[in-house]
Amino acid sequence: MIPKYHLSNGCSFSTKKAFLNCHQRLSELLGLEPTIQLAKGGRGNDRMVTTTMHWFYKNPERFADTVVSIGWTSGHRWDFIHGPTDTTTKGIKGELAKFSHQWGTWRLWENDRIARDPDIDINLASAVRLYTNILTLQYFFKYHKIPYVMYWALTNDLPEDGDLKVLKDQIDRKHFMNFETSDHVKENIKIYNEMKQKPDKVTIPNKEYVQSHFEFCAFHGWTLRVNDAHPNKEGHHEWANLLHHFIVDNKIIC
């Protein structure tokens, strides 16, 4: 069946915009109904996986006619259940208000005590969680025959030491745009984490290939402000064009 609806999930790079974010613009390009949006600013990938699956289980009639776009965020965001839904809380509206509970998130760069714990290999733990999150949704979509496209909203390093390569190799690149890291991945992650403390224009050292929506907008100068790498209107719409071409080229929607 040709999809009629479009569900999206992600972090602040994917939240609803008056000028249409990349997911909303993608809906227009694909001729679908307005985007059903589950994104929440500042949250991580655990929440993304859970809310996406919960939404479909609560709306089983949508298995057959919905395409999904997922913008993965930093693997160093660690989600937790915050508590029962309170619709008076800022940002809890629309589809998010229909969930019985909401999520909170702590980020590695705000909790260096955990990173210093000698019993925790925080980078390895983050990488395992990241790959597992992607594969969880990948096989959920494939099992239910849901057409989908994934991409990186924020830049992630993608190690493949030991058993990590086994997980990494299972990810379907025909459904994941620009999956591989760029040459300056570690530097770009550092730039993003530190940009709010600097008054300088967001720039990255990439020469051509970009991995993430963040890198794409920083590379072209399509950011909201000089030290805020969130995409502006052009950054959202041009990224949507790339997603649209990727979907067509890979025959994701038949």
Side-chain angles (χ1 to χ4, degrees), residues 104-120:
T105 304
W106 63 263
R107 291 164 287 197
L108 178 60
W109 54 91
E110 298 170 343
N111 293 270
D112 60 347
R113 176 184 62 80
I114 297 174
R116 294 197 309 269
D117 190 323
D119 290 330
I120 301 176

Side-chain angles (χ1 to χ4, degrees), residues 1 10 30 90 114 141 146 159 167 176 184 200 205 225 234:
M1 180 181 294
L30 293 172
K90 182 179 179 181
I114 297 174
F141 294 145
I146 300 169
L167 293 176
F176 203 124
H184 302 278
D200 307 320
R225 288 175 290 278
E234 193 166 17

Side-chain angles (χ1 to χ4, degrees), residues 52 68 137-146 148 150:
T52 299
V68 181
L137 276 191
Q138 173 179 302
Y139 289 117
F140 173 81
F141 294 145
K142 289 180 181 296
Y143 178 80
H144 291 288
K145 297 180 174 58
I146 300 169
Y148 72 95
M150 297 176 177

Side-chain angles (χ1 to χ4, degrees), residues 184-197:
H184 302 278
V185 56
K186 289 180 172 59
E187 187 175 355
N188 289 337
I189 291 173
K190 187 173 186 291
I191 289 170
Y192 181 81
N193 290 342
E194 295 179 351
M195 67 181 179
K196 291 182 179 179
Q197 283 74 49

